[in-house]
Amino acid sequence: MRREQSISMNYAMVNAILAGTKTQFRRVADVPPFELEISSTWWETPPERSKPHQTCGSTYPCEGMRPARWFTFEDARTNGEIENRRTIFSKIPTKSRALRDGKLRMTRDGLPKWSEREVCSLCPYGKSGERLFVKETFGYDIPVGSSYRAERVINYRADGVEISKRWRSPMLMTRKESRLHLEIVSVHMERIHEISDDDIRAEGVSIPHRIDHTEEARRDSRDPAVQRIRRRYAFIAYWDSIHGKKHPWASNPWVFVINFKRVEVP
């Protein structure tokens, strides 16, 4: 089993996890250029579903399925890395396993075509069932009347407390000092513009509070359509605040979508 990975989050996302409103996050898919093919004859279970749907073998989609996505890489190193991680796909439907060595899995140039689940094995944060620990801004404080290093108390900036010492960068946090541990439920790939309103909610992004108390503001607060638009703009602002320099929202990058649940670790 791979070692437990770490992920850094700001205070807003930490509070969202603590409140139970954040159950997924997105990170840019740093993979080599590829060609994408949308199948018109083969349907698959979306990778974000926890249990694969066993197909009936028909060319028509069953409930909860969508057209298959095939990814082709010219980079030989990437193809070799995916090939070495194939054991992760033991739960793929039988028909999909049969296609691995068939003609439908090869291009005219002899390059392999990979399914979305296989490409998701490149996600640096792990696969379904593996765990992450969250790094956040933290610091140590010494209680009044104590001068012993062993009696230091750890504090987290997301809690809104003040300490006498300087705050430490999340990069310095160890697994032992982390209070948040996550278990990956599923991983899939998509364009950032494909995010839905439910996904934005699961990202833990909140709508900025409006100070004015006009009739228009009260009407907007009751309009679901307006709230969806405001949530989307809030997520765009959040995304660009982190990835705006290299991968802004306007560039519509491919991302890994990691769904998770919080777990308690002794």
Side-chain angles (χ1 to χ4, degrees), residues 24 26 190-203 228 231-232 235 249:
Q24 69 177 219
R26 282 161 170 76
E190 67 180 19
R191 292 277 196 178
I192 190 63
H193 287 187
E194 295 179 38
I195 188 170
S196 65
D197 187 61
D198 289 338
D199 290 335
I200 294 176
R201 290 173 180 267
E203 281 275 358
R228 285 195 296 270
R231 271 192 295 271
R232 193 167 187 84
F235 178 80
W249 171 268

PDB file of all heavy atoms in Angstrom, residues 24 26 190-203 228 231-232 235 249:
ATOM      1  N   GLN A  24     -15.176  17.058  -1.644  1.00  0.00           N
ATOM      2  CA  GLN A  24     -14.372  16.816  -2.843  1.00  0.00           C
ATOM      3  C   GLN A  24     -13.467  18.006  -3.102  1.00  0.00           C
ATOM      4  O   GLN A  24     -13.705  19.111  -2.617  1.00  0.00           O
ATOM      5  CB  GLN A  24     -15.238  16.532  -4.067  1.00  0.00           C
ATOM      6  CG  GLN A  24     -16.032  17.689  -4.599  1.00  0.00           C
ATOM      7  CD  GLN A  24     -16.813  17.359  -5.871  1.00  0.00           C
ATOM      8  OE1 GLN A  24     -16.897  18.173  -6.782  1.00  0.00           O
ATOM      9  NE2 GLN A  24     -17.403  16.165  -5.935  1.00  0.00           N
ATOM     10  N   ARG A  26     -10.558  19.575  -6.350  1.00  0.00           N
ATOM     11  CA  ARG A  26     -10.044  19.456  -7.709  1.00  0.00           C
ATOM     12  C   ARG A  26      -8.603  19.942  -7.774  1.00  0.00           C
ATOM     13  O   ARG A  26      -8.268  20.950  -7.158  1.00  0.00           O
ATOM     14  CB  ARG A  26     -10.900  20.286  -8.687  1.00  0.00           C
ATOM     15  CG  ARG A  26     -12.210  19.621  -9.048  1.00  0.00           C
ATOM     16  CD  ARG A  26     -13.213  20.604  -9.617  1.00  0.00           C
ATOM     17  NE  ARG A  26     -14.368  19.888 -10.168  1.00  0.00           N
ATOM     18  CZ  ARG A  26     -15.317  19.345  -9.418  1.00  0.00           C
ATOM     19  NH1 ARG A  26     -15.258  19.449  -8.099  1.00  0.00           N
ATOM     20  NH2 ARG A  26     -16.327  18.705  -9.976  1.00  0.00           N
ATOM     21  N   GLU A 190     -12.146  15.492 -15.576  1.00  0.00           N
ATOM     22  CA  GLU A 190     -13.090  16.297 -16.334  1.00  0.00           C
ATOM     23  C   GLU A 190     -12.479  17.666 -16.594  1.00  0.00           C
ATOM     24  O   GLU A 190     -11.434  18.008 -16.028  1.00  0.00           O
ATOM     25  CB  GLU A 190     -14.412  16.453 -15.581  1.00  0.00           C
ATOM     26  CG  GLU A 190     -14.305  17.268 -14.296  1.00  0.00           C
ATOM     27  CD  GLU A 190     -15.633  17.393 -13.570  1.00  0.00           C
ATOM     28  OE1 GLU A 190     -16.531  16.580 -13.845  1.00  0.00           O
ATOM     29  OE2 GLU A 190     -15.770  18.307 -12.717  1.00  0.00           O
ATOM     30  N   ARG A 191     -13.109  18.430 -17.462  1.00  0.00           N
ATOM     31  CA  ARG A 191     -12.737  19.827 -17.635  1.00  0.00           C
ATOM     32  C   ARG A 191     -13.309  20.625 -16.461  1.00  0.00           C
ATOM     33  O   ARG A 191     -14.366  20.309 -15.937  1.00  0.00           O
ATOM     34  CB  ARG A 191     -13.317  20.366 -18.946  1.00  0.00           C
ATOM     35  CG  ARG A 191     -12.704  19.765 -20.193  1.00  0.00           C
ATOM     36  CD  ARG A 191     -11.412  20.458 -20.569  1.00  0.00           C
ATOM     37  NE  ARG A 191     -11.019  20.149 -21.932  1.00  0.00           N
ATOM     38  CZ  ARG A 191      -9.938  20.665 -22.514  1.00  0.00           C
ATOM     39  NH1 ARG A 191      -9.175  21.506 -21.858  1.00  0.00           N
ATOM     40  NH2 ARG A 191      -9.640  20.338 -23.760  1.00  0.00           N
ATOM     41  N   ILE A 192     -12.600  21.671 -16.080  1.00  0.00           N
ATOM     42  CA  ILE A 192     -13.056  22.455 -14.927  1.00  0.00           C
ATOM     43  C   ILE A 192     -14.412  23.103 -15.196  1.00  0.00           C
ATOM     44  O   ILE A 192     -15.225  23.280 -14.286  1.00  0.00           O
ATOM     45  CB  ILE A 192     -11.994  23.525 -14.558  1.00  0.00           C
ATOM     46  CG1 ILE A 192     -12.337  24.194 -13.220  1.00  0.00           C
ATOM     47  CG2 ILE A 192     -11.852  24.550 -15.651  1.00  0.00           C
ATOM     48  CD1 ILE A 192     -12.329  23.269 -12.057  1.00  0.00           C
ATOM     49  N   HIS A 193     -14.712  23.414 -16.464  1.00  0.00           N
ATOM     50  CA  HIS A 193     -16.004  24.029 -16.793  1.00  0.00           C
ATOM     51  C   HIS A 193     -17.169  23.048 -16.665  1.00  0.00           C
ATOM     52  O   HIS A 193     -18.328  23.464 -16.702  1.00  0.00           O
ATOM     53  CB  HIS A 193     -15.974  24.598 -18.219  1.00  0.00           C
ATOM     54  CG  HIS A 193     -15.156  25.840 -18.344  1.00  0.00           C
ATOM     55  ND1 HIS A 193     -15.115  26.598 -19.506  1.00  0.00           N
ATOM     56  CD2 HIS A 193     -14.341  26.486 -17.465  1.00  0.00           C
ATOM     57  CE1 HIS A 193     -14.309  27.626 -19.344  1.00  0.00           C
ATOM     58  NE2 HIS A 193     -13.819  27.579 -18.106  1.00  0.00           N
ATOM     59  N   GLU A 194     -16.881  21.761 -16.534  1.00  0.00           N
ATOM     60  CA  GLU A 194     -17.935  20.765 -16.405  1.00  0.00           C
ATOM     61  C   GLU A 194     -18.494  20.682 -14.988  1.00  0.00           C
ATOM     62  O   GLU A 194     -19.438  19.931 -14.745  1.00  0.00           O
ATOM     63  CB  GLU A 194     -17.412  19.383 -16.817  1.00  0.00           C
ATOM     64  CG  GLU A 194     -17.022  19.272 -18.281  1.00  0.00           C
ATOM     65  CD  GLU A 194     -16.484  17.883 -18.619  1.00  0.00           C
ATOM     66  OE1 GLU A 194     -17.023  16.899 -18.072  1.00  0.00           O
ATOM     67  OE2 GLU A 194     -15.525  17.794 -19.401  1.00  0.00           O
ATOM     68  N   ILE A 195     -17.954  21.429 -14.070  1.00  0.00           N
ATOM     69  CA  ILE A 195     -18.393  21.361 -12.682  1.00  0.00           C
ATOM     70  C   ILE A 195     -19.867  21.762 -12.580  1.00  0.00           C
ATOM     71  O   ILE A 195     -20.313  22.724 -13.206  1.00  0.00           O
ATOM     72  CB  ILE A 195     -17.512  22.261 -11.780  1.00  0.00           C
ATOM     73  CG1 ILE A 195     -17.856  22.044 -10.312  1.00  0.00           C
ATOM     74  CG2 ILE A 195     -17.639  23.718 -12.159  1.00  0.00           C
ATOM     75  CD1 ILE A 195     -16.889  22.710  -9.363  1.00  0.00           C
ATOM     76  N   SER A 196     -20.626  20.998 -11.814  1.00  0.00           N
ATOM     77  CA  SER A 196     -22.055  21.261 -11.632  1.00  0.00           C
ATOM     78  C   SER A 196     -22.287  22.053 -10.348  1.00  0.00           C
ATOM     79  O   SER A 196     -21.375  22.246  -9.537  1.00  0.00           O
ATOM     80  CB  SER A 196     -22.829  19.945 -11.577  1.00  0.00           C
ATOM     81  OG  SER A 196     -22.452  19.203 -10.428  1.00  0.00           O
ATOM     82  N   ASP A 197     -23.519  22.476 -10.155  1.00  0.00           N
ATOM     83  CA  ASP A 197     -23.848  23.212  -8.938  1.00  0.00           C
ATOM     84  C   ASP A 197     -23.696  22.329  -7.705  1.00  0.00           C
ATOM     85  O   ASP A 197     -23.233  22.790  -6.655  1.00  0.00           O
ATOM     86  CB  ASP A 197     -25.273  23.758  -9.025  1.00  0.00           C
ATOM     87  CG  ASP A 197     -25.615  24.675  -7.860  1.00  0.00           C
ATOM     88  OD1 ASP A 197     -24.946  25.717  -7.703  1.00  0.00           O
ATOM     89  OD2 ASP A 197     -26.542  24.351  -7.088  1.00  0.00           O
ATOM     90  N   ASP A 198     -24.056  21.047  -7.822  1.00  0.00           N
ATOM     91  CA  ASP A 198     -23.878  20.123  -6.703  1.00  0.00           C
ATOM     92  C   ASP A 198     -22.394  19.938  -6.374  1.00  0.00           C
ATOM     93  O   ASP A 198     -22.015  19.817  -5.198  1.00  0.00           O
ATOM     94  CB  ASP A 198     -24.513  18.767  -7.020  1.00  0.00           C
ATOM     95  CG  ASP A 198     -26.032  18.833  -7.034  1.00  0.00           C
ATOM     96  OD1 ASP A 198     -26.597  19.754  -6.412  1.00  0.00           O
ATOM     97  OD2 ASP A 198     -26.659  17.964  -7.689  1.00  0.00           O
ATOM     98  N   ASP A 199     -21.561  19.925  -7.420  1.00  0.00           N
ATOM     99  CA  ASP A 199     -20.123  19.799  -7.192  1.00  0.00           C
ATOM    100  C   ASP A 199     -19.569  21.034  -6.485  1.00  0.00           C
ATOM    101  O   ASP A 199     -18.683  20.922  -5.625  1.00  0.00           O
ATOM    102  CB  ASP A 199     -19.387  19.589  -8.513  1.00  0.00           C
ATOM    103  CG  ASP A 199     -19.659  18.229  -9.120  1.00  0.00           C
ATOM    104  OD1 ASP A 199     -19.993  17.313  -8.350  1.00  0.00           O
ATOM    105  OD2 ASP A 199     -19.554  18.086 -10.353  1.00  0.00           O
ATOM    106  N   ILE A 200     -20.061  22.212  -6.864  1.00  0.00           N
ATOM    107  CA  ILE A 200     -19.605  23.437  -6.203  1.00  0.00           C
ATOM    108  C   ILE A 200     -19.959  23.402  -4.727  1.00  0.00           C
ATOM    109  O   ILE A 200     -19.168  23.818  -3.858  1.00  0.00           O
ATOM    110  CB  ILE A 200     -20.214  24.676  -6.892  1.00  0.00           C
ATOM    111  CG1 ILE A 200     -19.663  24.808  -8.311  1.00  0.00           C
ATOM    112  CG2 ILE A 200     -19.921  25.941  -6.096  1.00  0.00           C
ATOM    113  CD1 ILE A 200     -20.271  25.946  -9.108  1.00  0.00           C
ATOM    114  N   ARG A 201     -21.155  22.901  -4.414  1.00  0.00           N
ATOM    115  CA  ARG A 201     -21.531  22.741  -3.007  1.00  0.00           C
ATOM    116  C   ARG A 201     -20.577  21.778  -2.304  1.00  0.00           C
ATOM    117  O   ARG A 201     -20.143  22.017  -1.181  1.00  0.00           O
ATOM    118  CB  ARG A 201     -22.964  22.222  -2.902  1.00  0.00           C
ATOM    119  CG  ARG A 201     -24.041  23.221  -3.316  1.00  0.00           C
ATOM    120  CD  ARG A 201     -25.397  22.534  -3.327  1.00  0.00           C
ATOM    121  NE  ARG A 201     -26.473  23.411  -3.716  1.00  0.00           N
ATOM    122  CZ  ARG A 201     -27.230  24.106  -2.858  1.00  0.00           C
ATOM    123  NH1 ARG A 201     -27.006  24.000  -1.557  1.00  0.00           N
ATOM    124  NH2 ARG A 201     -28.197  24.891  -3.289  1.00  0.00           N
ATOM    125  N   ALA A 202     -20.259  20.663  -2.997  1.00  0.00           N
ATOM    126  CA  ALA A 202     -19.360  19.669  -2.399  1.00  0.00           C
ATOM    127  C   ALA A 202     -17.940  20.196  -2.254  1.00  0.00           C
ATOM    128  O   ALA A 202     -17.162  19.667  -1.455  1.00  0.00           O
ATOM    129  CB  ALA A 202     -19.364  18.394  -3.238  1.00  0.00           C
ATOM    130  N   GLU A 203     -17.590  21.229  -3.014  1.00  0.00           N
ATOM    131  CA  GLU A 203     -16.274  21.850  -2.888  1.00  0.00           C
ATOM    132  C   GLU A 203     -16.180  22.723  -1.631  1.00  0.00           C
ATOM    133  O   GLU A 203     -15.093  23.122  -1.232  1.00  0.00           O
ATOM    134  CB  GLU A 203     -15.968  22.708  -4.120  1.00  0.00           C
ATOM    135  CG  GLU A 203     -15.510  21.924  -5.333  1.00  0.00           C
ATOM    136  CD  GLU A 203     -14.022  21.652  -5.311  1.00  0.00           C
ATOM    137  OE1 GLU A 203     -13.348  22.114  -4.374  1.00  0.00           O
ATOM    138  OE2 GLU A 203     -13.534  20.975  -6.242  1.00  0.00           O
ATOM    139  N   ARG A 228     -27.475  29.871  -7.770  1.00  0.00           N
ATOM    140  CA  ARG A 228     -26.574  29.008  -8.540  1.00  0.00           C
ATOM    141  C   ARG A 228     -25.527  29.837  -9.271  1.00  0.00           C
ATOM    142  O   ARG A 228     -24.344  29.460  -9.312  1.00  0.00           O
ATOM    143  CB  ARG A 228     -27.371  28.165  -9.541  1.00  0.00           C
ATOM    144  CG  ARG A 228     -28.141  27.014  -8.918  1.00  0.00           C
ATOM    145  CD  ARG A 228     -28.602  26.025  -9.974  1.00  0.00           C
ATOM    146  NE  ARG A 228     -29.543  26.634 -10.908  1.00  0.00           N
ATOM    147  CZ  ARG A 228     -30.857  26.638 -10.741  1.00  0.00           C
ATOM    148  NH1 ARG A 228     -31.386  26.071  -9.665  1.00  0.00           N
ATOM    149  NH2 ARG A 228     -31.653  27.188 -11.626  1.00  0.00           N
ATOM    150  N   ARG A 231     -23.011  31.130  -6.740  1.00  0.00           N
ATOM    151  CA  ARG A 231     -22.097  30.066  -6.300  1.00  0.00           C
ATOM    152  C   ARG A 231     -21.041  29.787  -7.368  1.00  0.00           C
ATOM    153  O   ARG A 231     -19.871  29.567  -7.048  1.00  0.00           O
ATOM    154  CB  ARG A 231     -22.872  28.787  -5.995  1.00  0.00           C
ATOM    155  CG  ARG A 231     -23.365  28.672  -4.577  1.00  0.00           C
ATOM    156  CD  ARG A 231     -23.850  27.276  -4.260  1.00  0.00           C
ATOM    157  NE  ARG A 231     -25.027  26.921  -5.040  1.00  0.00           N
ATOM    158  CZ  ARG A 231     -26.280  27.165  -4.655  1.00  0.00           C
ATOM    159  NH1 ARG A 231     -26.506  27.773  -3.508  1.00  0.00           N
ATOM    160  NH2 ARG A 231     -27.293  26.795  -5.411  1.00  0.00           N
ATOM    161  N   ARG A 232     -21.458  29.793  -8.642  1.00  0.00           N
ATOM    162  CA  ARG A 232     -20.496  29.526  -9.718  1.00  0.00           C
ATOM    163  C   ARG A 232     -19.442  30.627  -9.792  1.00  0.00           C
ATOM    164  O   ARG A 232     -18.253  30.341  -9.947  1.00  0.00           O
ATOM    165  CB  ARG A 232     -21.233  29.385 -11.048  1.00  0.00           C
ATOM    166  CG  ARG A 232     -20.355  28.787 -12.159  1.00  0.00           C
ATOM    167  CD  ARG A 232     -21.184  28.381 -13.350  1.00  0.00           C
ATOM    168  NE  ARG A 232     -20.400  27.676 -14.349  1.00  0.00           N
ATOM    169  CZ  ARG A 232     -20.138  26.372 -14.325  1.00  0.00           C
ATOM    170  NH1 ARG A 232     -20.603  25.627 -13.348  1.00  0.00           N
ATOM    171  NH2 ARG A 232     -19.416  25.806 -15.283  1.00  0.00           N
ATOM    172  N   PHE A 235     -17.013  30.186  -7.028  1.00  0.00           N
ATOM    173  CA  PHE A 235     -16.032  29.126  -7.280  1.00  0.00           C
ATOM    174  C   PHE A 235     -14.982  29.594  -8.286  1.00  0.00           C
ATOM    175  O   PHE A 235     -13.796  29.265  -8.142  1.00  0.00           O
ATOM    176  CB  PHE A 235     -16.718  27.868  -7.795  1.00  0.00           C
ATOM    177  CG  PHE A 235     -15.754  26.757  -8.110  1.00  0.00           C
ATOM    178  CD1 PHE A 235     -15.239  25.969  -7.094  1.00  0.00           C
ATOM    179  CD2 PHE A 235     -15.340  26.516  -9.418  1.00  0.00           C
ATOM    180  CE1 PHE A 235     -14.333  24.953  -7.370  1.00  0.00           C
ATOM    181  CE2 PHE A 235     -14.435  25.511  -9.698  1.00  0.00           C
ATOM    182  CZ  PHE A 235     -13.928  24.723  -8.672  1.00  0.00           C
ATOM    183  N   TRP A 249      -9.288  29.829 -14.879  1.00  0.00           N
ATOM    184  CA  TRP A 249     -10.594  29.282 -15.250  1.00  0.00           C
ATOM    185  C   TRP A 249     -10.819  29.401 -16.750  1.00  0.00           C
ATOM    186  O   TRP A 249     -11.372  28.479 -17.385  1.00  0.00           O
ATOM    187  CB  TRP A 249     -11.683  30.019 -14.487  1.00  0.00           C
ATOM    188  CG  TRP A 249     -13.085  29.712 -14.933  1.00  0.00           C
ATOM    189  CD1 TRP A 249     -13.817  30.389 -15.876  1.00  0.00           C
ATOM    190  CD2 TRP A 249     -13.924  28.650 -14.465  1.00  0.00           C
ATOM    191  NE1 TRP A 249     -15.060  29.813 -16.019  1.00  0.00           N
ATOM    192  CE2 TRP A 249     -15.156  28.744 -15.163  1.00  0.00           C
ATOM    193  CE3 TRP A 249     -13.767  27.636 -13.521  1.00  0.00           C
ATOM    194  CZ2 TRP A 249     -16.211  27.864 -14.945  1.00  0.00           C
ATOM    195  CZ3 TRP A 249     -14.820  26.756 -13.309  1.00  0.00           C
ATOM    196  CH2 TRP A 249     -16.029  26.876 -14.011  1.00  0.00           C
TER     197      TRP A 249
END
